[in-house]
Structures are given as C-alpha cells and as structure tokens.
Amino acid sequence: MNKTEPLAEVRDLKVRFVGREDTVHAVNGVSFAVHPGEVLCILGESGSGKSVTLRSLMRLLPDRARIEGDVRVGGQDVLKMSNRSLRDLRGGSVSMIFQEPMTALDPVYTVGEQIGETVRRHTGCDKAKARARALELLNLVRIPSAERRLDAYPHELSGGLRQRAMIAMALSCDPKLLLADEPTTALDATVQIQVLILLRKLQAEMGMGMIFVTHDLGVAAEIADNVAVMYAGRIVEYGPVERMMKAPLHPYTQGLLASTVHDQSRDQDIDAIPGSPPDMRRPPPGCGFAPRCVKARDVCRTAVPAERYPEPGRMAACVAVEVPEMAAA
Amino acid sequence: MVMMDGMIPTPTPPADPRDRGGALQPLLIVRDLIKHFPIKGTGGRAVRAVDGVSFEVRKGETLGVVGESGCGKSTLARLLLHLIRPNSGELVFDGDPVDEPHGISVSALRRQVQMVFQDSYSSLNPRMPVRDSVAFGPYVQDKPKAEARDIAVNMLAKVGLNPDQFGPRYPHELSGGQKQRVNIARALATGPRMVILDEPVSALDKSVEAQVLNLLRALKRQFNLTYVFISHDLNVVRYISDRVLVMYLGKIVELGPVDSIFSAPRHPYTQALLASRPSMDPSRRIDDPPVTGDPPNPIDPPPGCRFHTRCPHAQAVCSAQEPRLIESLADDRHIAACHMHDPESGHTMAVAGSA
C-alpha cells in the first residue's frame, strides 16, 4: 500500500529481561513497519510489551535486556550500531517523548538551555543560534509568551506546558520519526485533547512518521492511522484504526472495546474480560490470551496462532478469525 | 434512560438499624468546608485546595465527583473522613454533627464511613498477609481476633478472591486488580454505611477496571451502601453515578442528576470537560480544543469565577464577582455556579441561559 521505504522496520523482535531469579519475556516476536507520514499506535495494557518495543527502536533498554531480531531505523541496523552512532540517531532523525515531562526534563536547566543543547549537539551551531531555534520551537508548539518561557525551569511550568516543551525538544532537529510513549496519559482531560490535536497537526505539517504508544482506545481513535494491538508481548491484531474500532477481529480487541466504559447502559454490568493478564515470567505456551478467551480451543493453549489476513491491510493472530477464500489465495 | 424532571434517581434503601434520621435525612451534609494548605516562607500564602464547598450525600446514592488535578477532589475525600482536619466547615452524618460535643466523634464516624484509595499497593501493609489487613479494621473496633478473621475470610470471598488461595498472600504477590479487591474488602470489613472511593479504578488496566466497577455495583446493592465516587474519568463517572458534582479549583461549579449533567451541562467548564473526551470514532475526531491552557495554580486562584481565564463566554462581571450556585427554574436539582445562569448577574447572556 505504501511504496516508500519504511522509516522503521522491525522483524521478529524478542526482548527478555534476565534477572538472577527469573527472566521476563517482555516481547515475543513482534514485526511491523512505519512509513513516512504514518501514525502507528501500539495499543496495549501494562505489561503487554508496548513500551519495551518502542524503546527497542532507539535501544533505550537496560543492559540486562536481551534483544533479538532485526530493528532497522532509517535503513540502519539499530541492534548493531555503536554507542556513538546511536547518540547521533537519538534526538536527531529519531526522537522520543515520554509520559512524565517532569522526569524527562532536567530540573536544573532552563527549558531554553535544554532545547538549545540538543540543537547544538546535532547541528554544531553556536549558542545564539540554538537559542533562536529554541524560541522558534516553543512558538511551534504554541507555548504562550514563549520568549519568557525560554528562561523558565521545568518546575515553573504547568503540566501541559512542560509536555509542550518536551515536544519542542523532540522536534528540534526535524526528526523523520517521532516515538511517543503515552505522552498524554498524565495530563488532565482538557489538556490531553490539546496536546493530541497539537501532535496530530505537527505530524501532518512536518510529514513525520510517528509511533504512539497508548493504553487508551479513545486516544488511539483520535490520532492513529494504523493500530497494532499488543497482548502478552505479541501483536494480536493490526490494521487501520477505523476498521478496528468498528469491527475488531481478535477476541482480545473485542473484549477491550466491550469493557471500555463509554455510554453503556447503567442498568447493566459492563462486559468485562475475566481474569488478568499473564505473568510474563511464565508466559503461556500457546496464545497469550487463551486463558481469558471465551473462544479458546485446545489448540490455542498449545501453539501460538499464526497470523491471518482476512482483509487487505488487516491482520489478526487468532484461529477463530475466518479468512475468505479469495484473500487466502 | 431519560429521567423525568424532579424525580430522585435513587431507590429508597431498606431500613438500616443504625439509621437515625430516616430515609429523607441526607447521610452526609457538608457545609462550607474550607481547607487551605499554608506554604512556608511565603508570608501567609496558601494552596486553597477546598474553598467553601457545600453539598449533601443522599442515602443509597452514588455521588460522582469529577474534576482535574488540583481541583481539590482528593482533599475533599480526606476531609469527609477527617483524615485531615478542615480549617472550617461542618460535617453532619445522618443528622449528627461530626466532632462536636453534642454530635458523634470522629472514630464513631469512621465506623460508618470507609475509604478506598487509588494506589492499591501503598494502601496495604506490605508486611501483612492481606487476610490480616482485612481483619485489622474489625479487630481494632473491638471484635475478638477469631471473629475478625472470620469476617476477613468472608469479605475476601465477597470481593471474588478465594480466601484459602489469596488470604495468606502478601500484597506484592497480587496483581493490581486483586490488590484493589483486597482494599475494597478491607473497607467493607468494618460494615460501613458509606464508602469514599478516591479514583479506585484509575490505576487499573481497562479490562480489569470493568471487573472492579461491576464488583462495586454488586457490593453496593448487597450491603446497602452509599458511595462518593471520585474520578477524573467522565465515562466511568457517568456509568456509576446517580448524581455528579463537578469541581474546579476548590469550588463546586455544577451539581445535578447524572443524565441532566451529561445531556445538558450548564457550566462552560463542564461543557468543555465533556467535549474534551475522545470521541471513540476516528471519523469524528475533535479538530479544535474545547478550551485552551491549563487549570491555573490553586495557590492564587483567579478572582471572581475561577474559570474566567479559560472561559469562552467570560465578561467583565466574571472576573469581578464570584458566581452563586444557581438553581435553574426548569430543574431545581441541577445547579451551576455561572453568571450566565444568574439573571441578576449583569452578564449579557444571562437571560438566554436561565430561560
């Protein structure tokens, strides 16, 4: 569907965290690609491996993480890169924004200094130019009285402004790919929608690719082109957001939509998914969702289901998904 | 689903032997509650967390409290249980003033009002098997040890945890949803009439959130409970509440029956809050933010109406004068603090709004 080279391509990514007592199998074979101008949402609950997958793209994982597979960003093999070229990549052609701007920004430097530092590191320009660029960026992310905010410390800004400042820093070197790890989760409702709209506009204006990790279906519906639903370290469903919201394929996605509180009748219980996500120290041998799935068969508990493609551009890893004859051929 | 005007949406609860005031006496009356947190070294400046709040909690209802961070909803929750003491204001529980010579004591209040917190881990003792945590409340309230333990086993079963399997475990051995079930069991073990739930499902995954909401509703019916349900999630509040109270910077801006609030919000802040919810429909995305900016700092809240700095309808009167909580002529149970609903305020849109 997209003839351009992907900005990022992940093949059979596996990440384990090896500890003294046990090993956490966080990501268990994930493949996807993101193209220029595309917004991919990775949707999943805590422990699904969504953030670990995102961080693998920049190799922002602790030493005890064992990464396998193939991760290519901008044509480069991230898993084989030297630390030096990784530093060139991070904040340059690929940058990242985080959930909590207060911990992602340095509390002892002003916002202007931090943004300027990034600009100087990647372009080698002088301080005055970097400051001018920082001001331009604060205006780009619609921070009011940007000139004054340049000399503010992170604690002097409200939550929404801090998040905008972090976005400004991430955009400082015109990245081709923006990685966003739940950037609106910690924000208030009226501020969350402002930041979502801002990110959507900036992404379209700059033609960036974006990978947006979230646990919130509503947020995905506001920002995604495509959605990859993760459960127990695997992508269980992938496809365009409109189709996924209207006609989810995988029983987990169906359960998630049904259990999300949104205008249900107050007279009835919510259709909750029974049970809780698996312990990834001991992941189930077959489909990760089988222990909670109403449609589970014996085969689901023994073998990982193969990917099925019932419609163009859509994938579901579930044996219950019917594939029409035409599409299967 | 559509509620007729003037109908009380809550069923009358069956008689409770502890009931003193009768069905029409509100279970809790809150009058002019104020809590300021002074900031050291600023010459008397203070965070005005709760700044003159009055409302009632009716017997058997679920009162939802919504608002953004810093609006004072969690401080309010703690004040209701006297976990922190208010600067001024009055609590009346089932007709008895709290912490007054002729009323009931704080410890007597806490026998009848319990609380469930957002963080399910930090509200359990990490060194105690969860069964003992649940038994602790009844035990300190003069139940013999064996009886307290029986109550704990019974309560764990009631919240859907097998007492033999989960009772001996420590909090770190449970998932978030299981820990929150334990907290609910702990709150109910003392047999309260009212439970204050402070963001009880906010830290849970969506699939588990639904389970806990269903459980809370089932327990409410089973034990004739009255809930004060605090949340920032409007969808959850709409689902679980009978009436909704909207707070902004320490003040009540709107209060009314849930359907009325969600179908015809009166205060511009409530309207903005509702319009800020993601649509869940990718073909109908929100293109312009309903309001701009962040909530101001509660240390120096704006004068007059506290929302006037972000309000699209703000006029001179809004920054000069604090709006009264006005009952609408059409529906006397839905009130909003906005000059547009006060015909005498001088706001040019006031007439249209109050008709």
Side-chain angles (χ1 to χ4, degrees):
Chain A
M1 54 171 189
N2 208 326
K3 290 174 201 84
T4 48
E5 278 286 295
L7 287 171
E9 198 171 9
V10 173
R11 288 263 155 263
D12 204 23
L13 175 71
K14 291 187 176 127
V15 185
R16 286 173 295 141
F17 294 97
V18 180
R20 232 176 344 179
E21 283 166 16
D22 40 36
T23 297
V24 178
H25 299 264
V27 180
N28 303 303
V30 159
S31 304
F32 62 88
V34 186
H35 293 85
E38 177 189 345
V39 181
L40 172 70
C41 263
I42 303 181
L43 181 77
E45 299 181 288
S46 47
S48 63
K50 58 188 191 302
S51 289
V52 173
T53 301
L54 192 75
R55 277 154 205 247
S56 304
L57 289 167
M58 283 220 252
R59 240 168 79 195
L60 282 175
L61 292 171
D63 288 340
R64 62 194 185 91
R66 301 281 176 274
I67 315 176
E68 287 168 42
D70 193 21
V71 179
R72 295 188 158 273
V73 174
Q76 291 174 285
D77 187 341
V78 173
L79 300 187
K80 294 207 176 71
M81 277 170 119
S82 68
N83 284 338
R84 194 187 162 76
S85 36
L86 266 178
R87 285 198 296 271
D88 288 338
L89 178 80
R90 295 170 180 159
S93 58
V94 185
S95 57
M96 190 153 175
I97 52 178
F98 300 87
Q99 178 170 345
E100 200 20 90
M102 199 59 215
T103 53
L105 295 172
D106 192 324
V108 300
Y109 292 96
T110 65
V111 167
E113 284 168 341
Q114 297 186 47
I115 301 176
E117 186 194 6
T118 312
V119 176
R120 287 193 298 153
R121 165 65 179 78
H122 287 282
T123 65
C125 67
D126 61 29
K127 272 197 165 173
K129 272 218 177 90
R131 189 179 161 87
R133 173 70 179 145
L135 179 62
E136 192 182 308
L137 286 158
L138 291 193
N139 281 316
L140 181 74
V141 297
R142 280 81 152 170
I143 290 186
S145 345
E147 184 88 56
R148 187 161 57 84
R149 259 58 185 256
L150 221 43
D151 297 316
Y153 289 90
H155 77 271
E156 297 175 304
L157 301 178
S158 66
L161 288 186
R162 272 202 289 269
Q163 197 59 282
R164 284 168 195 260
M166 187 161 69
I167 294 168
M169 194 190 310
L171 299 180
S172 58
C173 299
D174 290 318
K176 295 186 177 65
L177 180 65
L178 182 64
L179 308 178
D181 192 0
E182 305 236 20
T184 62
T185 304
L187 301 176
D188 283 321
T190 57
V191 182
Q192 163 169 292
I193 194 70
Q194 295 174 40
V195 172
L196 276 179
I197 292 170
L198 174 73
L199 277 172
R200 214 167 59 199
K201 283 188 176 149
L202 292 172
Q203 180 269 331
E205 281 167 23
M206 300 172 67
M208 284 183 296
M210 179 151 80
I211 304 180
F212 194 108
V213 163
T214 182
H215 70 280
D216 191 327
L217 277 164
V219 168
E222 284 293 329
I223 200 155
D225 296 316
N226 291 303
V227 180
V229 183
M230 281 192 76
Y231 190 83
R234 292 195 185 88
I235 295 177
V236 296
E237 176 163 353
Y238 173 90
V241 64
E242 296 85 6
R243 297 293 301 144
M244 189 207 75
M245 296 294 288
K246 286 208 175 72
L249 293 168
H250 196 279
Y252 172 65
T253 321
Q254 292 164 355
L256 200 58
L257 271 162
S259 63
T260 298
V261 184
H262 184 81
D263 288 352
Q264 276 97 339
S265 162
R266 276 198 298 281
D267 308 332
Q268 290 162 13
D269 276 357
I270 309 164
D271 290 325
I273 305 174
S276 46
D279 182 347
M280 295 313 286
R281 286 172 298 188
R282 288 176 293 276
C287 171
F289 188 60
R292 303 173 76 185
C293 182
V294 285
K295 295 178 186 165
R297 309 168 193 169
D298 287 343
V299 62
C300 302
R301 296 182 191 91
T302 51
V304 177
E307 298 186 347
R308 293 174 176 224
Y309 300 87
E311 290 172 35
R314 294 190 84 186
M315 182 282 282
C318 176
V319 295
V321 170
E322 304 284 342
V323 180
E325 291 293 315
M326 291 286 286
Chain B
M1 280 306 294
V2 178
M3 206 71 68
M4 282 165 65
D5 271 349
M7 225 172 83
I8 301 175
T10 49
T12 320
D16 186 310
R18 294 169 294 181
D19 195 327
R20 287 166 53 83
L24 292 178
Q25 169 71 36
L27 190 55
L28 185 69
I29 300 174
V30 178
R31 282 196 200 112
D32 289 325
L33 211 54
I34 292 179
K35 180 67 191 180
H36 293 179
F37 296 101
I39 310 164
K40 275 184 199 157
T42 58
R45 289 168 72 197
V47 175
R48 293 161 73 168
V50 172
D51 210 11
V53 158
S54 304
F55 61 93
E56 298 171 359
V57 185
R58 298 172 186 162
K59 282 175 183 162
E61 78 169 345
T62 297
L63 177 70
V65 179
V66 292
E68 299 179 282
S69 50
C71 75
K73 56 191 192 300
S74 287
T75 302
L76 176 66
R78 284 158 175 74
L79 290 172
L80 296 185
L81 258 179
H82 269 238
L83 292 179
I84 46 179
R85 298 181 67 85
N87 296 84
S88 63
E90 200 184 356
L91 293 179
V92 179
F93 187 82
D94 203 4
D96 294 319
V98 174
D99 203 20
E100 306 245 345
H102 55 283
I104 60 168
S105 66
V106 170
S107 62
L109 173 79
R110 290 183 189 160
R111 282 170 194 268
Q112 305 196 55
V113 186
Q114 282 288 319
M115 185 150 172
V116 176
F117 299 87
Q118 173 172 1
D119 186 340
S120 61
Y121 184 70
S122 65
S123 47
L124 289 170
N125 187 337
R127 301 183 189 208
M128 234 186 221
V130 296
R131 180 187 53 209
D132 294 0
S133 280
V134 177
F136 198 79
Y139 176 64
V140 295
Q141 291 187 352
D142 308 329
K143 293 271 194 298
K145 231 174 187 159
E147 194 185 332
R149 183 161 289 210
D150 286 346
I151 293 173
V153 165
N154 186 24
M155 281 320 303
L156 283 173
K158 288 265 197 282
V159 297
L161 295 174
N162 180 338
D164 298 330
Q165 187 186 352
F166 292 99
R169 291 199 194 174
Y170 288 84
H172 74 267
E173 297 174 294
L174 301 179
S175 71
Q178 289 162 348
K179 281 196 289 275
Q180 203 57 306
R181 285 172 192 266
V182 171
N183 277 306
I184 293 166
R186 185 197 51 72
L188 297 186
T190 56
R193 296 168 68 190
M194 178 165 154
V195 183
I196 295 161
L197 302 142
D198 188 5
E199 304 263 14
V201 296
S202 304
L204 303 178
D205 281 322
K206 290 290 161 193
S207 66
V208 178
E209 172 185 275
Q211 296 171 10
V212 174
L213 287 175
N214 287 341
L215 173 69
L216 285 171
R217 278 161 42 101
L219 292 169
K220 178 170 183 270
R221 285 190 297 270
Q222 193 177 352
F223 294 104
N224 289 325
L225 297 170
T226 299
Y227 284 162
V228 174
F229 191 99
I230 296 166
S231 179
H232 69 281
D233 187 328
L234 289 152
N235 290 321
V236 168
V237 164
R238 184 196 156 278
Y239 175 70
I240 204 149
S241 308
D242 298 306
R243 291 193 306 142
V244 176
L245 186 164
V246 186
M247 285 185 77
Y248 188 75
L249 287 179
K251 295 269 187 193
I252 295 176
V253 294
E254 189 158 357
L255 171 62
V258 61
D259 287 322
S260 182
I261 292 261
F262 277 78
S263 61
R266 300 229 168 94
H267 198 284
Y269 175 65
T270 315
Q271 291 163 1
L273 207 53
L274 289 172
S276 296
R277 286 181 299 169
S279 64
M280 299 292 277
D281 183 352
S283 60
R284 284 188 298 156
R285 289 181 173 168
I286 303 168
D287 287 325
D288 293 303
V291 283
T292 54
D294 289 30
N297 195 326
I299 296 173
D300 291 308
C305 171
R306 292 181 179 190
F307 188 58
H308 83 261
T309 53
R310 302 170 79 196
C311 182
H313 311 297
Q315 296 180 356
V317 60
C318 301
S319 51
Q321 213 180 335
E322 193 176 317
R324 303 178 289 162
L325 265 170
I326 296 281
E327 289 190 5
S328 120
L329 299 173
D331 178 0
D332 62 353
R333 288 187 175 84
H334 184 163
I335 55 177
C338 176
H339 287 310
M340 290 196 294
H341 295 286
D342 185 349
E344 291 150 34
S345 69
H347 196 290
T348 56
M349 288 162 77
V351 182
S354 63

